Amino acid sequence: MSGRLISARLAPLARRAVLNTPRQLSHYSTTGAGGLLRSDAGLRLLKQRPWPLGSYALHNVPAVRSISFVRILPKIVTKFASLGAAAGGAVIAGLSYVQYQAGQAGTYALDLFNRATNQASLVAGTLYGGASDILEQTMKEWEKTKEDFEIREWLQKLLPKDESSGGGNGRGSSGPQGDPKQSGAGMAAAGATAAAAFGYESKDDEDSQSAEEKIARDEQMMMLTKKMIEIRSLLQTVGQSDTLTLPSIVVIGSQSSGKSSVLEAIVGHEFLPKGSNMVTRRPIELTLVNTPNAHAEYGEFPALGLGKITDFSQIQRTLTDLNLAVPAKDCVSDDPIQLRIHSPNVPDLSLIDLPGYIQVTGRDQPMELKEKITELCEKYIQPPNVILAISAADVDLANSTALRASRKVDPRGERTIGVITKMDLVDPERGASLLSDKKYALRLGYVGVVCRVPPTVGTSKLFNRGNGNISNAIAKNENAYFSAHPVEFGPESHVDVGTKNLRKKLMYVLEQTMAASLKTTSEAISRELSETTYEFKVKYNDRPLSAESYLAESLDSFKHSFKGFTEHFGRAEVRELLKHELDQQVLNLLAQRYWNRPFEDLSQSLPETDPLSELPKANMENPIWQIKLDSSQASLTKLGVGRLATSVVASALQAHVDHLTSNSRFAAHPFARKAITEASTTILRDLSYDISDELEICIKPYKYRIELEDNEWAKGRENVTNVLKDELRVCEAAAKNLETQIGGRKKLRDVMGFIDRVRSGKVVLEGDGVGGAGGFSSALLRKGREAVFLRDRVDVLKMRLLAVKSKQCANKQNKYYCPEVFLDAVADKLTTTADLFLEAELLSKFYYAFPRELDSRLGRSLSQTDVERFAREDPKIRRHLDVVRRKELLEHVLKEMEALRQLEAREKRYTSRSTQTGSGEKGRSRGWSLF
């Protein structure tokens, strides 16, 4: 039968063989027969490629993996597209025939195993002959096809290398007319050979998939670490408990051991403080945040609020200033400096840099410095923190201060990573022995680094303003050194060297340590949350509170109080204020023009006439009284009533606002009180300028002519009577107070009598009387003169009260005899005009603008920081806010940690399944290797 006919019939047979043949084929235990496994042709096929992944052995019998060509045919069609439709169709038809015949052979072989195992040897020999013939014919057909076109490289791998040795050794041809059993077995062998070739393509896909899964697991581990570091930052804000924290990597080492260089090599920048004296005096909590998509590197100090700092030399100066701020007498401080560095070149790590150990205290250093540094380091290297013990290569490990300190708190070395710096300063053999040291063994091992920055990099960094990344330079320097000694530091040496490996180890160890402490930390957070929830319920009745809500409530309450004030402070209250102020001005005018005469000094002995002798008499012919009254009226109307009235009302408004503030929630908030005062003052000042001028224009007609009605005169008479009575009570109360101050009425009468005798000329003073006179001190004489003045004023007021109540003052025509009534009536007309205008202009505008100004100053214009500062000014509110914020943070952190624990559990299950799958694949590979 021709080769083309065989190729045409191979396709359905091969497809049936692969689809119907089970994974585990039976075998024939007879050893006398040759069969495919023991023939030369079979060995040639097996030597070309190992069995595909997924195959296995059962009593030295191969199993055919159930590979369907249905999934492979699309790939074949794509690869043969450029060779022509005819050639590709022929090849595909041949492969389909092989698949069909293989399926037929597989079905028959399984049935044959169940029926007649005792004839296995004979059947195996027959199968070999048939398979050999079929393979020979198939190879010839392939050769003929190769002559027509070029076969792709992947298809050439299906052909045997020695085509001349693929015959059937004279066993005869087996075609469609032959034994179907023999023909089916041969087709199964051809299908298995093709499956072996395609198995390698599947193996490459599996290797690629394994690499992708490894990358995905690494990225997931980085995500877990980043999330844990974020949770650690949140726990730092909660504080108050050592159990509420996640582990960090604590860096310890003696001074000049290269501790700072290691940290700077990890970060890629020189940013730590340096100096001849001890510069690091406070712990530096360094959080590295990987930002893959960022183009800029920056640092920030969360507690200082300096924003993003892209200049690392500025970060270095800030750290230096913060460390040197610790007083020399305190040596070191346990108050940490929080620094976060965001960069695409750093791993997600949480590090704590501590002051370096010292052996001898300097003359300019306190004697207790060594002990304080040791105590500070012991505080931070307690479990569960990871210890990064820095030791120099030129110092024996037996003398390492860092290892000695870590041995105290970690005697088994389970959470200590040893870092050997300055590896280039010792012989390679010596360095390799340090890294593989067993005498001071650590479970996490040692890592050797050379973190010295090349001089060229340091020079170029000066011209780059401290922003040059030194990671690449350090990596090249390390690679140059370690690659120069492959025996000591090569892959066969099994030692860890290089900053890159150190980064990976730190990430892995930190992730594992944090994951191990998730459960205990979650339990501690749950307990803390229960206590905080109980406190929130008992003390604050589950009342939620935030800085924004507290400010809004306080502002609404104050505006409500202000609205109540506006309803009770209107025109009547303004009139009362203005009338009282103008009444005082009237009394001043009366005292100046009618009642008062200047007192002579005690040094003057001129006699004084009776003070009541020159009071006005009912004499209309004397024009002096008309002039006095007209001048008093002009003084009152030209007093500047507009400015005076506006100032009085504005001051009253400001006083009421201050009173409302002192009785509101804002009383405990200096910031808010200042803002409210500034708001009211600004509004009143802006309104007063225009309103005072406009009010002056309104009262301008009264400066030239004033007409009074009878009712206005009667009202003025009644009002001035009350004013004089009030003034009389004030004077009598002041006189009574003086009597008490001097020491009694008798002593006061003696002093006043002496002054009266001096004024009447009965007593002549010797000297100026400044140092005292008549046996009285100067202070007593001054009090006596005040008492005499009040006595005379009381007498005048009593006399004027009698005059105002007389019939003569009942008529407005006698205004010159009763100036008190006339001036009071004028003041009342001015008050009526002013209060009407001020109510319409000042009060209404202030009542409208003030609440809106409050909203602007204490609402929209405030930043979040200002709102927080305002709320925390009150100690009670600050405590309430702390409890609420603590409760919310604990709930958030607990939720995040539960999500992390679930993610970690899924990762463990996935890793376990991957391990079991890898073991199974490895076992199946071992099974195929038997052949």
Side-chain angles (χ1 to χ4, degrees):
M1 184 178 293
S2 63
R4 295 184 179 275
L5 182 58
I6 294 175
S7 300
R9 299 187 62 182
L10 277 175
L13 184 59
R15 181 164 58 252
R16 291 178 60 189
V18 176
L19 292 175
N20 299 325
T21 302
R23 282 178 169 267
Q24 183 174 339
L25 292 180
S26 60
H27 71 282
Y28 298 95
S29 59
T30 306
T31 59
L36 177 63
L37 300 180
R38 289 171 175 79
S39 66
D40 295 336
L43 292 176
R44 283 196 301 271
L45 289 174
L46 295 175
K47 288 180 179 178
Q48 292 176 20
R49 284 190 179 273
W51 291 98
L53 187 64
S55 303
Y56 59 97
L58 180 62
H59 302 290
N60 296 337
V61 175
V64 180
R65 184 177 179 182
S66 179
I67 300 177
S68 176
F69 277 78
V70 177
R71 295 191 298 269
I72 302 175
L73 286 177
K75 295 184 179 180
I76 298 177
V77 172
T78 303
K79 295 180 179 180
F80 274 90
S82 61
L83 301 179
V91 174
I92 295 172
L95 294 177
S96 300
Y97 182 71
V98 171
Q99 185 178 9
Y100 171 76
Q101 294 293 346
Q104 294 293 334
T107 305
Y108 184 77
L110 182 59
D111 181 71
L112 188 61
F113 170 76
N114 295 328
R115 293 182 179 181
T117 56
N118 56 348
Q119 298 179 358
S121 177
L122 180 60
V123 176
T126 305
L127 289 175
Y128 168 70
S132 300
D133 295 338
I134 295 300
L135 288 175
E136 182 179 1
Q137 295 295 332
T138 304
M139 295 304 107
K140 290 180 180 180
E141 192 64 21
W142 277 117
E143 185 65 23
K144 189 173 182 180
T145 305
K146 287 169 59 179
E147 295 176 0
D148 296 336
F149 54 86
E150 181 182 359
I151 299 178
R152 296 292 179 93
E153 181 181 356
W154 68 270
L155 194 55
Q156 291 179 4
K157 297 179 180 180
L158 296 176
L159 302 178
K161 297 181 180 179
D162 187 5
E163 297 177 357
S164 61
S165 61
N169 295 330
R171 290 184 179 271
S173 175
S174 180
Q177 303 299 329
D179 189 355
K181 301 175 184 178
Q182 298 178 5
S183 177
M187 295 307 100
T193 305
F198 286 106
Y200 272 92
E201 184 176 355
S202 175
K203 182 178 180 180
D204 294 338
D205 294 340
E206 291 177 358
D207 293 341
S208 176
Q209 183 180 3
S210 178
E212 293 177 357
E213 291 176 353
K214 184 177 183 301
I215 295 174
R217 286 195 297 271
D218 292 341
E219 291 179 352
Q220 189 171 11
M221 186 187 74
M222 293 178 63
M223 183 188 69
L224 286 174
T225 306
K226 182 189 290 289
K227 203 69 178 176
M228 290 177 183
I229 291 177
E230 292 176 359
I231 291 177
R232 182 183 180 275
S233 301
L234 290 175
L235 291 176
Q236 285 179 341
T237 61
V238 175
Q240 295 186 2
S241 177
D242 294 336
T243 59
L244 296 182
T245 183
L246 285 174
S248 295
I249 299 176
V250 182
V251 185
I252 60 173
S254 60
Q255 290 189 10
S256 303
S257 63
K259 180 166 56 71
S260 299
S261 300
V262 171
L263 291 176
E264 291 176 342
I266 294 174
V267 175
H269 289 276
E270 296 185 19
F271 68 98
L272 291 174
K274 295 180 177 63
S276 57
N277 198 355
M278 193 187 76
V279 182
T280 304
R281 302 180 182 180
R282 297 172 59 183
I284 301 176
E285 294 184 354
L286 178 62
T287 303
L288 305 183
V289 181
N290 181 264
T291 54
N293 300 324
H295 300 287
E297 301 174 293
Y298 64 91
E300 57 183 359
F301 295 89
L304 302 181
L306 300 179
K308 299 179 180 179
I309 305 176
T310 56
D311 187 358
F312 280 81
S313 61
Q314 182 179 351
I315 295 177
Q316 188 178 46
R317 290 192 298 269
T318 304
L319 287 175
T320 303
D321 295 339
L322 292 174
N323 278 280
L324 294 181
V326 179
K329 62 182 181 63
D330 295 336
C331 309
V332 292
S333 172
D334 59 353
D335 184 20
I337 302 173
Q338 295 182 0
L339 172 62
R340 296 177 184 172
I341 294 180
H342 301 255
S343 170
N345 304 317
V346 299
D348 291 299
L349 289 176
S350 177
L351 304 165
I352 300 178
D353 183 28
L354 297 176
Y357 291 103
I358 62 173
Q359 301 300 327
V360 180
T361 305
R363 292 183 178 179
D364 56 342
Q365 295 174 338
M367 296 299 297
E368 64 275 10
L369 177 60
K370 180 179 178 181
E371 289 75 13
K372 286 194 173 184
I373 292 177
T374 303
E375 293 175 358
L376 178 63
C377 292
E378 287 183 357
K379 174 183 176 181
Y380 276 90
I381 61 178
Q382 298 297 326
N385 286 340
V386 179
I387 304 172
L388 190 65
I390 309 295
S391 304
D394 54 354
V395 177
D396 193 81
L397 292 181
N399 298 323
S400 173
T401 310
L403 289 178
R404 184 166 60 249
S406 66
R407 185 67 63 88
K408 293 181 180 179
V409 295
D410 184 26
R412 300 175 61 181
E414 294 182 347
R415 54 185 182 88
T416 303
I417 303 175
V419 178
I420 309 299
T421 61
K422 306 177 184 179
M423 293 288 293
D424 55 342
L425 299 183
V426 296
D427 295 335
E429 295 80 4
R430 168 64 177 166
S433 64
L434 290 175
L435 297 179
S436 59
D437 188 270
K438 301 301 181 184
K439 188 175 181 180
Y440 306 97
L442 300 175
R443 188 178 67 86
L444 301 177
Y446 292 87
V447 180
V449 295
V450 181
C451 297
R452 179 175 55 87
V453 181
T456 56
V457 178
T459 304
S460 62
K461 176 178 176 294
L462 294 176
F463 297 96
N464 200 20
R465 300 180 63 185
N467 292 328
N469 197 294
I470 61 176
S471 297
N472 294 333
I474 292 177
K476 291 180 180 179
N477 191 28
E478 286 183 329
N479 291 336
Y481 174 75
F482 292 125
S483 61
H485 307 89
V487 177
E488 291 81 5
F489 307 115
E492 301 297 332
S493 61
H494 303 291
V495 295
D496 290 335
V497 293
T499 305
K500 183 178 180 180
N501 289 332
L502 177 60
R503 284 186 176 187
K504 293 181 179 179
K505 175 169 285 192
L506 292 179
M507 291 176 60
Y508 175 78
V509 171
L510 182 61
E511 191 268 340
Q512 295 296 324
T513 308
M514 284 186 169
S517 62
L518 279 179
K519 182 178 181 181
T520 56
T521 306
S522 298
E523 293 174 352
I525 292 175
S526 299
R527 291 192 299 269
E528 196 74 20
L529 178 59
S530 301
E531 296 176 0
T532 305
T533 304
Y534 179 78
E535 180 183 3
F536 182 60
K537 182 177 181 62
V538 172
K539 289 187 176 181
Y540 306 105
N541 198 24
D542 287 337
R543 183 172 66 90
L545 182 68
S546 64
E548 294 81 0
S549 64
Y550 175 70
L551 176 60
E553 291 176 3
S554 302
L555 190 57
D556 291 343
S557 176
F558 181 80
K559 289 193 293 186
H560 181 74
S561 301
F562 180 75
K563 183 179 180 181
F565 160 71
T566 60
E567 294 174 354
H568 297 85
F569 189 86
R571 182 181 178 184
E573 288 73 22
V574 171
R575 177 180 178 81
E576 182 180 354
L577 286 173
L578 295 181
K579 189 63 175 66
H580 179 268
E581 185 65 26
L582 291 179
D583 286 343
Q584 297 303 315
Q585 297 296 330
V586 168
L587 290 176
N588 291 336
L589 289 174
L590 291 173
Q592 292 174 5
R593 299 182 183 273
Y594 292 95
W595 301 343
N596 280 351
R597 279 167 39 90
F599 282 104
E600 295 81 0
D601 294 335
L602 290 179
S603 59
Q604 297 177 351
S605 57
L606 294 177
E608 183 182 89
T609 58
D610 186 3
L612 301 180
S613 60
E614 295 187 3
L615 287 176
K617 306 297 183 183
N619 187 5
M620 292 288 295
E621 297 179 357
N622 192 353
I624 188 63
W625 306 117
Q626 298 180 10
I627 296 174
K628 282 188 175 186
L629 185 61
D630 293 340
S631 62
S632 299
Q633 174 189 340
S635 299
L636 182 61
T637 56
K638 297 178 181 180
L639 184 65
V641 176
R643 289 186 295 274
L644 177 64
T646 304
S647 176
V648 169
V649 175
S651 300
L653 289 174
Q654 184 63 54
H656 280 87
V657 169
D658 294 340
H659 177 72
L660 292 176
T661 305
S662 61
N663 293 331
S664 67
R665 295 182 180 180
F666 294 131
H669 301 279
F671 170 77
R673 294 187 64 174
K674 181 180 178 181
I676 294 173
T677 302
E678 290 178 352
S680 60
T681 302
T682 301
I683 296 174
L684 291 174
R685 183 175 61 248
D686 294 340
L687 292 176
S688 297
Y689 290 142
D690 297 333
I691 292 176
S692 60
D693 294 339
E694 293 172 0
L695 182 57
E696 284 290 339
I697 296 174
C698 292
I699 66 173
K700 189 174 182 179
Y702 296 120
K703 297 180 181 180
Y704 303 99
R705 183 180 181 85
I706 294 180
E707 297 290 340
L708 296 178
E709 301 293 336
D710 292 339
N711 60 339
E712 294 177 344
W713 178 268
K715 184 179 179 180
R717 181 185 180 192
E718 180 182 358
N719 183 70
V720 78
T721 300
N722 295 328
V723 171
L724 292 176
K725 289 181 179 180
D726 292 340
E727 185 70 12
L728 178 61
R729 284 194 294 269
V730 171
C731 291
E732 290 176 346
K736 189 69 175 177
N737 187 32
L738 278 177
E739 180 180 335
T740 304
Q741 293 179 4
I742 290 176
R745 180 177 300 180
K746 182 177 182 304
K747 190 173 184 179
L748 179 60
R749 283 200 303 265
D750 294 340
V751 176
M752 293 174 65
F754 176 76
I755 294 174
D756 289 336
R757 288 193 298 272
V758 171
R759 292 171 63 185
S760 62
K762 296 179 180 180
V763 176
V764 179
L765 295 178
E766 297 180 359
D768 53 7
V770 176
F776 303 103
S777 64
S778 59
L780 190 59
L781 291 175
R782 186 170 59 253
K783 296 290 185 181
R785 292 189 62 195
E786 293 178 8
V788 171
F789 170 79
L790 291 174
R791 181 197 62 190
D792 295 343
R793 174 60 60 86
V794 168
D795 294 340
V796 171
L797 289 173
K798 288 180 179 180
M799 183 191 68
R800 295 312 303 168
L801 274 174
L802 293 175
V804 169
K805 292 179 180 181
S806 64
K807 293 182 179 181
Q808 190 177 18
C809 291
N811 191 349
K812 65 179 182 180
Q813 302 299 330
N814 297 328
K815 62 179 181 179
Y816 297 110
Y817 300 110
C818 303
E820 296 90 352
V821 179
F822 178 75
L823 292 177
D824 187 87
V826 172
D828 187 74
K829 293 182 73 69
L830 295 175
T831 301
T832 302
T833 303
D835 64 26
L836 183 62
F837 185 83
L838 290 176
E839 181 192 21
E841 293 296 325
L842 183 59
L843 292 186
S844 60
K845 291 182 178 180
F846 178 74
Y847 292 164
Y848 175 82
F850 182 61
R852 289 159 179 78
E853 186 68 17
L854 288 181
D855 290 335
S856 176
R857 291 177 179 264
L858 294 178
R860 296 183 297 271
S861 63
L862 291 183
S863 64
Q864 183 64 31
T865 304
D866 295 332
V867 175
E868 287 286 341
R869 183 182 62 181
F870 159 78
R872 292 184 172 277
E873 287 178 343
D874 189 342
K876 295 181 179 179
I877 300 300
R878 180 171 62 247
R879 178 58 185 165
H880 192 172
L881 289 175
D882 289 340
V883 173
V884 173
R885 183 169 180 267
R886 183 178 178 83
K887 179 176 177 292
E888 293 176 351
L889 278 176
L890 288 173
E891 291 175 347
H892 175 68
V893 170
L894 187 60
K895 182 179 179 181
E896 292 291 334
M897 294 195 72
E898 289 298 331
L900 277 182
R901 293 184 64 184
Q902 295 176 5
L903 185 61
E904 183 194 13
R906 289 197 299 268
E907 175 66 15
K908 288 182 177 179
R909 290 196 298 268
Y910 177 78
T911 305
S912 177
R913 288 198 301 268
S914 299
T915 304
Q916 294 175 1
T917 303
S919 300
E921 295 291 343
K922 186 175 181 181
R924 288 194 289 272
S925 299
R926 287 196 297 267
W928 278 99
S929 66
L930 295 175
F931 302 102

